[in-house]
Amino acid sequence: MTSIEARTETVPDVANLPVNPAADPAGDLATAVAAALTTVRRNAVAFGDLFPDDTTRDGDYPLRPAAEGFAEGANRGWTTCFWTGLQWLAHEHTGDATDREVALRQTADFARRVHAGEDLDTHDLGFLYTLTCVTAWRLAGDEEARDAALAAADHLMTRFLEPAGIVQAWGDLSDPAQRGRTIVDSLMNMPLLTWAGEVTGEPRFAEAVRRHVEQVRTHLLRPDDSTFHTFYWDAETGEPLRGATEQGAGDDSCWARGQAWGIYGFALHHRTTGDPEALVASRRCADYFLAHLPADGVVFWDLVYGDGSDAPRDSSAAAIAACGLAELASVESDPQRRETYAGAADRMLRALVAGYTPTVDEPSDALLLHAVYDAPKNKGVDEGCLWGDYFYLEALTRATLPGWRSPWWPSDAEGGDR
Ligand code: GLY
């Protein structure tokens, strides 16, 4: 691999970045993109073929710790895809062959992982393979990556449970405590199944997505427009049982990141299927989220907290919501709502750029500071995190790169080189 110094020299001049001037008249976002790309490239060199942990520790990413069967820095867990997703975004901004090479090399490890059957007991295969193998197929025509993404989609389908009609979330499917459970985050795992349906022409993928999203909409989205993080069904009879939380402040509270996954996931489902109920669901999640924003526009980790609270913020929820609101605005049929959601996405993104990125006084190898992974377990509280970094750069990319095509969207073309 190239040295840090050599790679840093290739960071594009801000003035030369392909930036939409209408979206960025003052150039603040272009400056933020250049800073982010510099960090992404530096990190790629520093970590080489190894993966960092989910979150920073005291400001910097340690290597992903060793675990049974896995060496330090190995590709396991649900967040490594965001690291590789950042490399693909960097390549889309710069068109640089080295960025593409790094992204392809990291992607190859996801192909290896699925074929080796390593750490696949999770619905997060959607996150893991959309941002890596599907993207490598779409942007670089990588046939091995396409086959690996299809293998991941097939594996994910083994979590689709009849008669509940849900994609089960985590862990051993034979564990009665977990078997009938799904979570709101699962909405973002549906694009992998949608893509697999398009590529194979097999209707079973779209049918599973349709049923799962309907179950999430009718049971996890509450009457007051907030969301449960998780919900249980009786796996044998399909009877809906109860909502609960895993990472929120309480079973009846509204975990901020879950609500953000809801905005984004339902909007994507509306784009894919045209389902009017999904548009309404995304609006409901968005309106609740926006009604619970503190003054600076960056949510606390649970929406029960508001201005005056000393609870930590979750910048990653804000970054996801900024992407979700931009997506919602792009599919919104009502002009007034479109303006509201696009304006809120822009405001949130600018709040993150201005107040939640590293500075000389607060240096970090994360792109975004002050996120929360799992407050109840005291995990990754007030740290940077891989998904926060990814969605921050995705939000910047949506705002600045004219003609950019989201990895979460259905295919509109065969894979191939750009
Ligand atoms: N999808 C897991 C999380 O948002 O923490």
PDB file of all heavy atoms in Angstrom, residues 78 123-124 127 170 183 185 229 247 255 257 261 320 373 387, ligand 1:
ATOM      1  N   TRP A  78     -21.389  -5.978  12.570  1.00  0.00           N
ATOM      2  CA  TRP A  78     -22.284  -5.365  11.564  1.00  0.00           C
ATOM      3  C   TRP A  78     -21.769  -4.059  10.998  1.00  0.00           C
ATOM      4  O   TRP A  78     -22.382  -3.495  10.105  1.00  0.00           O
ATOM      5  CB  TRP A  78     -23.685  -5.164  12.167  1.00  0.00           C
ATOM      6  CG  TRP A  78     -23.776  -4.064  13.212  1.00  0.00           C
ATOM      7  CD1 TRP A  78     -23.367  -4.135  14.516  1.00  0.00           C
ATOM      8  CD2 TRP A  78     -24.286  -2.737  13.039  1.00  0.00           C
ATOM      9  NE1 TRP A  78     -23.594  -2.938  15.161  1.00  0.00           N
ATOM     10  CE2 TRP A  78     -24.174  -2.073  14.281  1.00  0.00           C
ATOM     11  CE3 TRP A  78     -24.859  -2.043  11.960  1.00  0.00           C
ATOM     12  CZ2 TRP A  78     -24.590  -0.744  14.476  1.00  0.00           C
ATOM     13  CZ3 TRP A  78     -25.271  -0.724  12.150  1.00  0.00           C
ATOM     14  CH2 TRP A  78     -25.131  -0.088  13.391  1.00  0.00           C
ATOM     15  N   HIS A 123     -29.509 -10.114  10.720  1.00  0.00           N
ATOM     16  CA  HIS A 123     -30.212  -9.446   9.610  1.00  0.00           C
ATOM     17  C   HIS A 123     -29.356  -8.335   9.016  1.00  0.00           C
ATOM     18  O   HIS A 123     -29.668  -7.816   7.946  1.00  0.00           O
ATOM     19  CB  HIS A 123     -31.547  -8.894  10.106  1.00  0.00           C
ATOM     20  CG  HIS A 123     -31.409  -7.736  11.038  1.00  0.00           C
ATOM     21  ND1 HIS A 123     -32.305  -6.708  11.095  1.00  0.00           N
ATOM     22  CD2 HIS A 123     -30.446  -7.430  11.967  1.00  0.00           C
ATOM     23  CE1 HIS A 123     -31.934  -5.828  11.996  1.00  0.00           C
ATOM     24  NE2 HIS A 123     -30.811  -6.245  12.543  1.00  0.00           N
ATOM     25  N   ASP A 124     -28.285  -7.946   9.702  1.00  0.00           N
ATOM     26  CA  ASP A 124     -27.451  -6.843   9.219  1.00  0.00           C
ATOM     27  C   ASP A 124     -26.639  -7.199   7.983  1.00  0.00           C
ATOM     28  O   ASP A 124     -25.864  -6.377   7.480  1.00  0.00           O
ATOM     29  CB  ASP A 124     -26.541  -6.336  10.343  1.00  0.00           C
ATOM     30  CG  ASP A 124     -27.343  -5.580  11.390  1.00  0.00           C
ATOM     31  OD1 ASP A 124     -28.302  -4.890  11.002  1.00  0.00           O
ATOM     32  OD2 ASP A 124     -27.029  -5.693  12.583  1.00  0.00           O
ATOM     33  N   PHE A 127     -27.021  -4.332   5.551  1.00  0.00           N
ATOM     34  CA  PHE A 127     -26.027  -3.250   5.652  1.00  0.00           C
ATOM     35  C   PHE A 127     -24.698  -3.732   5.063  1.00  0.00           C
ATOM     36  O   PHE A 127     -24.065  -3.055   4.259  1.00  0.00           O
ATOM     37  CB  PHE A 127     -25.744  -2.901   7.121  1.00  0.00           C
ATOM     38  CG  PHE A 127     -26.758  -2.031   7.803  1.00  0.00           C
ATOM     39  CD1 PHE A 127     -27.531  -2.520   8.840  1.00  0.00           C
ATOM     40  CD2 PHE A 127     -26.908  -0.697   7.455  1.00  0.00           C
ATOM     41  CE1 PHE A 127     -28.446  -1.718   9.507  1.00  0.00           C
ATOM     42  CE2 PHE A 127     -27.816   0.128   8.123  1.00  0.00           C
ATOM     43  CZ  PHE A 127     -28.591  -0.392   9.143  1.00  0.00           C
ATOM     44  N   TRP A 170     -31.532 -10.886  15.266  1.00  0.00           N
ATOM     45  CA  TRP A 170     -30.185 -11.269  15.670  1.00  0.00           C
ATOM     46  C   TRP A 170     -30.118 -12.700  16.169  1.00  0.00           C
ATOM     47  O   TRP A 170     -31.089 -13.204  16.712  1.00  0.00           O
ATOM     48  CB  TRP A 170     -29.718 -10.467  16.888  1.00  0.00           C
ATOM     49  CG  TRP A 170     -29.734  -8.998  16.794  1.00  0.00           C
ATOM     50  CD1 TRP A 170     -29.053  -8.234  15.893  1.00  0.00           C
ATOM     51  CD2 TRP A 170     -30.429  -8.093  17.660  1.00  0.00           C
ATOM     52  NE1 TRP A 170     -29.296  -6.910  16.151  1.00  0.00           N
ATOM     53  CE2 TRP A 170     -30.113  -6.800  17.224  1.00  0.00           C
ATOM     54  CE3 TRP A 170     -31.260  -8.246  18.762  1.00  0.00           C
ATOM     55  CZ2 TRP A 170     -30.612  -5.648  17.845  1.00  0.00           C
ATOM     56  CZ3 TRP A 170     -31.768  -7.102  19.377  1.00  0.00           C
ATOM     57  CH2 TRP A 170     -31.440  -5.832  18.921  1.00  0.00           C
ATOM     58  N   ILE A 183     -36.470  -5.688  14.613  1.00  0.00           N
ATOM     59  CA  ILE A 183     -36.150  -4.355  15.128  1.00  0.00           C
ATOM     60  C   ILE A 183     -36.296  -3.330  13.999  1.00  0.00           C
ATOM     61  O   ILE A 183     -36.225  -3.690  12.818  1.00  0.00           O
ATOM     62  CB  ILE A 183     -34.730  -4.305  15.747  1.00  0.00           C
ATOM     63  CG1 ILE A 183     -33.629  -4.542  14.718  1.00  0.00           C
ATOM     64  CG2 ILE A 183     -34.607  -5.336  16.851  1.00  0.00           C
ATOM     65  CD1 ILE A 183     -32.218  -4.384  15.278  1.00  0.00           C
ATOM     66  N   ASP A 185     -34.376  -1.097  12.859  1.00  0.00           N
ATOM     67  CA  ASP A 185     -33.185  -0.969  12.020  1.00  0.00           C
ATOM     68  C   ASP A 185     -33.264  -1.861  10.774  1.00  0.00           C
ATOM     69  O   ASP A 185     -32.624  -1.599   9.757  1.00  0.00           O
ATOM     70  CB  ASP A 185     -31.906  -1.376  12.766  1.00  0.00           C
ATOM     71  CG  ASP A 185     -31.897  -1.064  14.244  1.00  0.00           C
ATOM     72  OD1 ASP A 185     -32.981  -0.935  14.834  1.00  0.00           O
ATOM     73  OD2 ASP A 185     -30.809  -0.976  14.818  1.00  0.00           O
ATOM     74  N   HIS A 229     -38.120   0.167  19.458  1.00  0.00           N
ATOM     75  CA  HIS A 229     -36.896  -0.346  18.861  1.00  0.00           C
ATOM     76  C   HIS A 229     -37.124  -1.779  18.387  1.00  0.00           C
ATOM     77  O   HIS A 229     -36.788  -2.119  17.263  1.00  0.00           O
ATOM     78  CB  HIS A 229     -35.735  -0.287  19.874  1.00  0.00           C
ATOM     79  CG  HIS A 229     -34.427  -0.768  19.309  1.00  0.00           C
ATOM     80  ND1 HIS A 229     -33.335  -1.028  20.095  1.00  0.00           N
ATOM     81  CD2 HIS A 229     -34.046  -1.061  18.050  1.00  0.00           C
ATOM     82  CE1 HIS A 229     -32.340  -1.433  19.337  1.00  0.00           C
ATOM     83  NE2 HIS A 229     -32.731  -1.468  18.094  1.00  0.00           N
ATOM     84  N   GLN A 247     -31.795  -0.631  22.941  1.00  0.00           N
ATOM     85  CA  GLN A 247     -30.804   0.438  23.062  1.00  0.00           C
ATOM     86  C   GLN A 247     -31.413   1.779  23.467  1.00  0.00           C
ATOM     87  O   GLN A 247     -30.693   2.772  23.569  1.00  0.00           O
ATOM     88  CB  GLN A 247     -30.044   0.572  21.732  1.00  0.00           C
ATOM     89  CG  GLN A 247     -29.038  -0.550  21.524  1.00  0.00           C
ATOM     90  CD  GLN A 247     -28.590  -0.695  20.081  1.00  0.00           C
ATOM     91  OE1 GLN A 247     -28.941  -1.668  19.413  1.00  0.00           O
ATOM     92  NE2 GLN A 247     -27.820   0.251  19.582  1.00  0.00           N
ATOM     93  N   TRP A 255     -36.108   5.647  20.964  1.00  0.00           N
ATOM     94  CA  TRP A 255     -34.665   5.628  20.695  1.00  0.00           C
ATOM     95  C   TRP A 255     -34.408   6.444  19.421  1.00  0.00           C
ATOM     96  O   TRP A 255     -34.999   6.165  18.369  1.00  0.00           O
ATOM     97  CB  TRP A 255     -34.231   4.178  20.530  1.00  0.00           C
ATOM     98  CG  TRP A 255     -32.791   3.954  20.213  1.00  0.00           C
ATOM     99  CD1 TRP A 255     -31.716   4.477  20.847  1.00  0.00           C
ATOM    100  CD2 TRP A 255     -32.274   3.096  19.184  1.00  0.00           C
ATOM    101  NE1 TRP A 255     -30.549   4.010  20.290  1.00  0.00           N
ATOM    102  CE2 TRP A 255     -30.868   3.168  19.269  1.00  0.00           C
ATOM    103  CE3 TRP A 255     -32.862   2.283  18.214  1.00  0.00           C
ATOM    104  CZ2 TRP A 255     -30.033   2.453  18.403  1.00  0.00           C
ATOM    105  CZ3 TRP A 255     -32.038   1.570  17.363  1.00  0.00           C
ATOM    106  CH2 TRP A 255     -30.641   1.654  17.454  1.00  0.00           C
ATOM    107  N   ARG A 257     -31.967   6.835  17.244  1.00  0.00           N
ATOM    108  CA  ARG A 257     -31.442   6.230  16.006  1.00  0.00           C
ATOM    109  C   ARG A 257     -32.495   5.335  15.360  1.00  0.00           C
ATOM    110  O   ARG A 257     -32.586   5.270  14.134  1.00  0.00           O
ATOM    111  CB  ARG A 257     -30.142   5.480  16.272  1.00  0.00           C
ATOM    112  CG  ARG A 257     -29.386   5.203  15.001  1.00  0.00           C
ATOM    113  CD  ARG A 257     -27.912   4.976  15.171  1.00  0.00           C
ATOM    114  NE  ARG A 257     -27.562   3.815  15.940  1.00  0.00           N
ATOM    115  CZ  ARG A 257     -27.046   3.817  17.152  1.00  0.00           C
ATOM    116  NH1 ARG A 257     -26.813   4.980  17.758  1.00  0.00           N
ATOM    117  NH2 ARG A 257     -26.729   2.704  17.772  1.00  0.00           N
ATOM    118  N   TRP A 261     -33.746   5.472  11.574  1.00  0.00           N
ATOM    119  CA  TRP A 261     -33.819   4.324  10.641  1.00  0.00           C
ATOM    120  C   TRP A 261     -35.214   4.252  10.028  1.00  0.00           C
ATOM    121  O   TRP A 261     -35.379   3.887   8.866  1.00  0.00           O
ATOM    122  CB  TRP A 261     -33.525   3.001  11.356  1.00  0.00           C
ATOM    123  CG  TRP A 261     -32.148   2.735  11.904  1.00  0.00           C
ATOM    124  CD1 TRP A 261     -31.849   2.228  13.142  1.00  0.00           C
ATOM    125  CD2 TRP A 261     -30.867   2.880  11.238  1.00  0.00           C
ATOM    126  NE1 TRP A 261     -30.480   2.067  13.278  1.00  0.00           N
ATOM    127  CE2 TRP A 261     -29.861   2.458  12.139  1.00  0.00           C
ATOM    128  CE3 TRP A 261     -30.493   3.343   9.970  1.00  0.00           C
ATOM    129  CZ2 TRP A 261     -28.493   2.469  11.813  1.00  0.00           C
ATOM    130  CZ3 TRP A 261     -29.135   3.362   9.650  1.00  0.00           C
ATOM    131  CH2 TRP A 261     -28.161   2.931  10.558  1.00  0.00           C
ATOM    132  N   ILE A 320     -27.993   9.985  10.093  1.00  0.00           N
ATOM    133  CA  ILE A 320     -28.923   9.071   9.420  1.00  0.00           C
ATOM    134  C   ILE A 320     -30.208   9.816   9.063  1.00  0.00           C
ATOM    135  O   ILE A 320     -30.740   9.685   7.955  1.00  0.00           O
ATOM    136  CB  ILE A 320     -29.242   7.853  10.326  1.00  0.00           C
ATOM    137  CG1 ILE A 320     -27.989   7.010  10.533  1.00  0.00           C
ATOM    138  CG2 ILE A 320     -30.386   7.011   9.743  1.00  0.00           C
ATOM    139  CD1 ILE A 320     -28.053   6.100  11.760  1.00  0.00           C
ATOM    140  N   TYR A 373     -23.477   4.609  20.899  1.00  0.00           N
ATOM    141  CA  TYR A 373     -23.801   3.282  20.370  1.00  0.00           C
ATOM    142  C   TYR A 373     -24.950   2.698  21.195  1.00  0.00           C
ATOM    143  O   TYR A 373     -26.064   2.533  20.708  1.00  0.00           O
ATOM    144  CB  TYR A 373     -22.558   2.391  20.397  1.00  0.00           C
ATOM    145  CG  TYR A 373     -22.732   1.023  19.748  1.00  0.00           C
ATOM    146  CD1 TYR A 373     -21.657   0.151  19.654  1.00  0.00           C
ATOM    147  CD2 TYR A 373     -23.945   0.606  19.224  1.00  0.00           C
ATOM    148  CE1 TYR A 373     -21.795  -1.100  19.048  1.00  0.00           C
ATOM    149  CE2 TYR A 373     -24.099  -0.636  18.627  1.00  0.00           C
ATOM    150  CZ  TYR A 373     -23.019  -1.483  18.544  1.00  0.00           C
ATOM    151  OH  TYR A 373     -23.159  -2.714  17.956  1.00  0.00           O
ATOM    152  N   TRP A 387     -20.803   3.903  11.604  1.00  0.00           N
ATOM    153  CA  TRP A 387     -22.016   4.231  10.841  1.00  0.00           C
ATOM    154  C   TRP A 387     -22.274   5.731  10.873  1.00  0.00           C
ATOM    155  O   TRP A 387     -22.780   6.303   9.903  1.00  0.00           O
ATOM    156  CB  TRP A 387     -23.226   3.440  11.341  1.00  0.00           C
ATOM    157  CG  TRP A 387     -23.570   3.705  12.777  1.00  0.00           C
ATOM    158  CD1 TRP A 387     -24.453   4.619  13.254  1.00  0.00           C
ATOM    159  CD2 TRP A 387     -23.004   3.056  13.929  1.00  0.00           C
ATOM    160  NE1 TRP A 387     -24.476   4.581  14.639  1.00  0.00           N
ATOM    161  CE2 TRP A 387     -23.595   3.628  15.068  1.00  0.00           C
ATOM    162  CE3 TRP A 387     -22.061   2.035  14.103  1.00  0.00           C
ATOM    163  CZ2 TRP A 387     -23.274   3.231  16.373  1.00  0.00           C
ATOM    164  CZ3 TRP A 387     -21.740   1.637  15.390  1.00  0.00           C
ATOM    165  CH2 TRP A 387     -22.335   2.227  16.506  1.00  0.00           C
TER     166      TRP A 387
HETATM  167  N1  GLY B   1     -28.309  -1.232  13.874  1.00  0.00           N
HETATM  168  C1  GLY B   1     -27.765  -1.141  15.160  1.00  0.00           C
HETATM  169  C2  GLY B   1     -27.665   0.234  15.674  1.00  0.00           C
HETATM  170  O1  GLY B   1     -28.158   1.183  15.079  1.00  0.00           O
HETATM  171  O2  GLY B   1     -27.076   0.399  16.726  1.00  0.00           O
END
